[in-house]
Each structure stands twice: as C-alpha cells, then as structure tokens.
Amino acid sequence: MNAIVVYGATGHTGRFVVEELLRQNLPTAVSGRNAAALTAQWGDLDVRPAAVDDPQALDLALKNAAAVINAAGPFATTADPIIDAAARAGIPYVDVAAELEANVSTFARQSALPVIPAMAFYGGLGDLLTTAALGERTSADEVQVAYGLSSWHPTPGTRAAGQVSHDRRNGQRVRFSGGSLQYHQDQPVQEDWTFPDPLGRRRVIAEFTMADVITIPTHIAVPEVRTYMTLEAAGDLANSDTPAPAAVDEQGRSDQTFVVDVRVRTGGEERRATATGQDIYAISAPLAVGAVRRILAGETRSSGVASAGAMFHAVDFLKDLPLTLDLP
C-alpha cells in the first residue's frame, strides 16, 4: 500500500492521527506548512512539506499517496485546496473539520472519489450513533445529540477555527430546523438533560450547534437536528484563560471524559444510542483512520462526498472504536 498522507501532522489532532496510523501498521507520510516542525516531530517518517496555497507543492506531497487525511484547520482555508489536490492525485480525502461553514461547502462539492468531511468527534461520531439507532430506517422526526463533556480544554486550533466560523456568519448562531440551517440571534437557552449513569442529570446549553446538524441530514430525512453541550464544557470553551489539553497517559490523552447521547424520535418511538470515552481529540484519530482503512479496503456503502453514516456500516464501525457503547 502507498502511504496515507496526514496534512497538519504537527497539530494536536494531527499527531493523534499519525500515531493511530502507525499503531495500525499503515504506511504513513506527514505534511503541513512548516517543514522544520515536521522534521523535528516526524523526522523518521516520509516528510512532505507543502503550503495550501501552493498547488504544485500539494501535488508533490500527494504523489503516489493512497489517501489524505486533513487535520489542519481552519478548514475554511485548507479543505478546498487539499480536496482539489486529492482529486488531481486520484485519491480519497478525509478531514476532521468541525467548522459548520466548511462542512457545508465540502458537502456541496461534486466528486467521483470518496470525500468525507467531519470524520471526527463532532460530526462523525454523532452521525454514526444516529445511523446505528435508526437501523434500516432512513428518516426520523427529530434527532437530538447531547454532549456530556467533563471539561473542554480547547486547542489553539479549535479556538482559531471557532473564530473563523464566528466571523463567517457575522456572530450569528445556527440551528437546523424545518429541514434547513437557520441563522439567528436568539440568546442561548439552558435545559436539563439526563445522561446515562454515572453522568446523570446535567445542565446543558440547548442548540449548542455542532457539525452533526450538517452530517446527519445529508443522508437521513429529518426536519429537526439539535445538539446540546454540558454547561461546564461550554463555559470552558468560552473562557479565554482555559488552558490547552494536557496529557495524562502514555497515549497523550487528557483526563477529559465524554458521553455522546443520541435520541432519535420517529412516529412516537424513541431510540437511543450512547458512546462513552476519553478525550475528544484523541477519539478523532481512530475515526479518521478507520474511514480511510475502510475506503481502501472497499468497505463502503456510498461514493463521492458522503458522511460517515452514509459511507460505512455504522454499528461495525462503532464497535471498532475505543468506546463503551450502548446501542439499540
């Protein structure tokens, strides 16, 4: 197999992605803007520096590659040029973008090759859980995705991407209602959400809108998709003094724990699917790498630009992840 190229390999999530590829014994090459940083971090690997505004350098970085995983935000800047380069190279593209506007732009593209945006904790995991909860159904009346994060220590990349999204929508908030994205200036509303034990009843920010509102409706006919965030985690993100994640184990994960609790309502019936794990950035690595591995093995259910739930068998994919699952 030719190498899988990780663009943004020196970033926080990018490092997890590279380590996951190596753990799975997959041929790996690293790329990004900063040649010196790439060499310092990954000098024993195939280093292929390239700036996103240099198509020739990107072509060289993706030459003879099997696929590319884009872990470099802001994705408003990196997604389109790397997707274009992947198309020229004739290889699949996967990213870990949680920027709503970048996700919308990518899903609007046409591609004969596999292109999977938001293949990460936000966007990918909730989509897989929703698809698993639905079983063979392809429609629902409402999908709710609640994030029970013990804390949220955002990386500099998360903060930069969030600012880009904020600026692109002129500070407006977003919801998915009535079958479409709606931009609004309503004030955030708090509610109670009862997570599975041991998390239990927690205060959440309602319509704390994440990439799931983009990924899920691309293949499920649903008029309402709502996402929720625990109040403590939302406060961490809003506080500019909250430090970046700190590693507490040999895998480089932080002590952050999470519960993703999905409720799908259809015709008066509610189905629930839940995943529990550690470190939202770390879990994005097996999601992205698992996507590429399945694409290269031909284990796909769709083609072109697609979300995780449309492209893969959701239950099988989820069971391969380092998560504790409660599925229907």
Side-chain angles (χ1 to χ4, degrees):
M1 181 192 295
N2 291 335
I4 298 165
V5 177
V6 180
Y7 194 88
T10 59
H12 189 80
T13 302
R15 292 195 296 270
F16 281 122
V17 172
V18 174
E19 293 288 359
E20 182 65 20
L21 286 166
L22 297 175
R23 188 187 70 80
Q24 295 193 28
N25 295 313
L26 295 170
T28 306
V30 295
S31 188
R33 310 173 183 91
N34 190 325
L38 286 166
T39 301
Q41 179 76 30
W42 303 113
D44 54 341
L45 297 179
D46 181 0
V47 176
R48 307 181 182 187
V52 291
D53 59 355
D54 187 339
Q56 185 176 9
L58 285 175
D59 288 346
L60 287 173
L62 301 188
K63 185 177 180 179
N64 297 323
V68 59
I69 299 174
N70 180 12
F75 294 89
T77 301
T78 66
D80 281 342
I82 298 177
I83 295 172
D84 290 341
R88 294 192 297 271
I91 61 174
Y93 168 95
V94 171
D95 72 33
V96 296
E99 296 169 37
L100 272 63
E101 292 74 26
N103 298 147
V104 169
S105 177
T106 299
F107 276 114
R109 295 178 64 107
Q110 298 295 316
S111 176
L113 296 161
V115 172
I116 308 181
M119 193 66 218
F121 178 76
Y122 295 117
L125 181 53
D127 185 29
L128 289 168
L129 288 167
T130 299
T131 307
L134 278 169
E136 296 302 315
R137 299 179 184 180
T138 57
S139 64
D141 297 330
E142 182 181 33
V143 174
Q144 297 176 306
V145 183
Y147 290 103
L149 275 57
S150 61
S151 62
W152 189 353
H153 290 246
T155 66
T158 295
R159 292 198 182 279
Q163 188 60 50
V164 168
S165 282
H166 179 274
D167 293 344
R168 289 182 74 176
R169 57 178 179 257
N170 297 316
Q172 296 182 95
R173 301 180 68 234
V174 189
R175 62 167 64 101
F176 186 89
S177 183
S180 65
L181 283 180
Q182 299 178 0
Y183 292 84
H184 63 91
Q185 294 181 325
D186 297 348
Q187 291 300 307
V189 174
Q190 295 184 22
E191 298 179 9
D192 285 335
W193 185 280
T194 303
F195 291 92
D197 291 334
L199 201 59
R201 192 175 183 87
R202 294 297 177 98
R203 203 69 174 160
V204 296
I205 301 292
E207 293 186 342
F208 192 97
T209 302
M210 304 305 292
D212 312 87
V213 306
I214 309 299
T215 56
I216 292 168
T218 63
H219 66 107
I220 294 170
V222 56
E224 306 289 329
V225 181
R226 304 179 187 276
T227 57
Y228 304 76
M229 181 67 66
T230 44
L231 189 61
E232 298 88 348
D236 286 342
L237 181 65
N239 184 356
S240 60
D241 292 329
T242 302
V248 297
D249 63 21
E250 67 281 355
Q251 298 177 49
R253 298 181 301 178
S254 71
D255 62 0
Q256 176 197 51
T257 58
F258 62 79
V259 177
V260 183
D261 190 24
V262 171
R263 298 178 186 176
V264 181
R265 295 191 177 95
T266 305
E269 177 188 1
E270 180 178 280
R271 290 190 170 199
R272 194 168 184 176
T274 303
T276 303
Q278 180 179 345
D279 196 316
I280 64 174
Y281 297 104
I283 196 63
S284 293
L287 280 159
V289 172
V292 168
R293 180 167 52 79
R294 283 170 172 77
I295 291 170
L296 297 179
E299 299 172 5
T300 57
R301 305 196 307 172
S302 185
S303 59
V305 184
S307 72
M311 185 66 78
F312 307 112
H313 188 282
V315 173
D316 289 350
F317 199 119
L318 288 165
K319 288 183 176 179
D320 272 352
L321 298 172
L323 296 168
T324 299
L325 299 168
D326 186 0
L327 303 177

